[in-house]
Amino acid sequence: EIQLLESGGGLVRPGGSLRLSCAASGFTFDTYAMSWVRQAPGKGLEWVSGISGPGGTTYYADSVKGRFTISRETSKSTLYLQMNSLRAEDTAVYYCACGYPRFDYWGQGALVTVSA
Amino acid sequence: EIVLTQSPGTLSLSPGERATLSCRASQSVSSSYLAWYQQKPGQAPRLLTYGASRATGIPDRFSGSGSGTDFTLTIRRLEPEDFVVYYCQQYVTSPGTFGQGTKVEIK
């Protein structure tokens, strides 16, 4: 069974940083592209970032380019999202997803709240 | 960026009825790159269909169809657990984009 478990969410002040982690299991991690998708409270879905299976290619939405960095650690079957210069509009549930650009499996999400 | 517009915003139906959800794209999208997701309250989205294919474990009452700029998710006979929110997504261009969602509610 494929499982994706996010961690690292929380409350952060505007301009601050946070790193999300996603522990993957149930599939061969290094053969799948992975993504982060977010959902602001009461809103729809927004793709944030993706990374190829071997990790050599990364993709970012314009709204986070230059502030967020996606990476993966194959030995730990873990996906990361380093978020810097956070803004109020980054407040959302962040989902880790297996696949890019289509999202075949999703984690339960991590809430990130950016507020003073 | 391709904009996807879903209609209606809310669909009121009874269990056992057929649901037809629409997703219209601002420019032509290959049907192979159009997906539908279901999201239950408090849960993560789940992939339902991509192109004309169903994702693993998805009941056959769900089907995706369409071409060009007009796409449809059909739920053949609504079960109680189907009264939730549905999103379409195109991924033929980067960035892939989502529609704003259709909520299916019990009439």
Side-chain angles (χ1 to χ4, degrees), chain A residues 20-86:
Chain A
L20 301 180
S21 300
C22 171
S25 61
F27 63 103
T28 306
F29 181 70
D30 57 355
T31 64
Y32 278 85
M34 299 289 293
S35 300
W36 291 95
V37 180
R38 69 184 179 184
Q39 186 171 35
K43 302 298 184 182
L45 302 169
E46 179 189 17
W47 169 76
V48 172
S49 183
I51 186 168
S52 63
T57 307
T58 57
Y59 311 88
Y60 298 96
D62 286 346
S63 58
V64 306
K65 200 171 294 182
R67 300 188 299 124
F68 290 11
T69 302
I70 191 172
S71 61
R72 60 194 300 160
E73 188 169 358
T74 300
S75 63
K76 294 184 176 180
S77 296
T78 299
L79 177 73
Y80 301 101
L81 185 68
Q82 177 66 43
M83 303 183 292
N84 298 331
S85 303
L86 282 161

Side-chain angles (χ1 to χ4, degrees), chain B residues 8-60:
Chain B
T10 302
L11 187 57
S12 299
L13 294 167
S14 300
E17 290 193 294
R18 180 187 189 95
T20 303
L21 285 65
S22 174
C23 177
R24 178 162 290 178
S26 60
Q27 56 187 276
S28 185
V29 172
S30 168
S31 61
S32 300
Y33 298 95
L34 195 290
W36 289 91
Y37 300 84
Q38 177 193 65
Q39 187 174 32
K40 296 180 179 180
Q43 295 187 21
R46 174 176 70 153
L47 177 66
L48 291 177
T49 68
Y50 53 99
S53 300
R54 272 183 299 278
T56 302
I58 301 303
D60 62 6

Side-chain angles (χ1 to χ4, degrees), chain B residues 19-106:
Chain B
T20 303
L21 285 65
S22 174
C23 177
R24 178 162 290 178
S26 60
Q27 56 187 276
S28 185
V29 172
S30 168
S31 61
S32 300
Y33 298 95
L34 195 290
W36 289 91
Y37 300 84
Q38 177 193 65
Q39 187 174 32
K40 296 180 179 180
Q43 295 187 21
R46 174 176 70 153
L47 177 66
L48 291 177
T49 68
Y50 53 99
S53 300
R54 272 183 299 278
T56 302
I58 301 303
D60 62 6
R61 64 180 183 274
F62 293 94
S63 62
S65 63
S67 63
T69 60
D70 291 300
F71 298 89
T72 299
L73 174 70
T74 300
I75 310 172
R76 197 172 63 241
R77 282 186 309 275
L78 285 164
E79 298 286 342
E81 62 268 26
D82 299 336
F83 291 88
V84 293
V85 179
Y86 297 85
Y87 295 94
C88 58
Q89 181 218 5
Q90 68 77 23
Y91 50 102
V92 66
T93 64
S94 182
T97 50
F98 291 93
Q100 82 280 14
T102 289
K103 179 181 181 180
V104 179
E105 66 174 21
I106 298 177

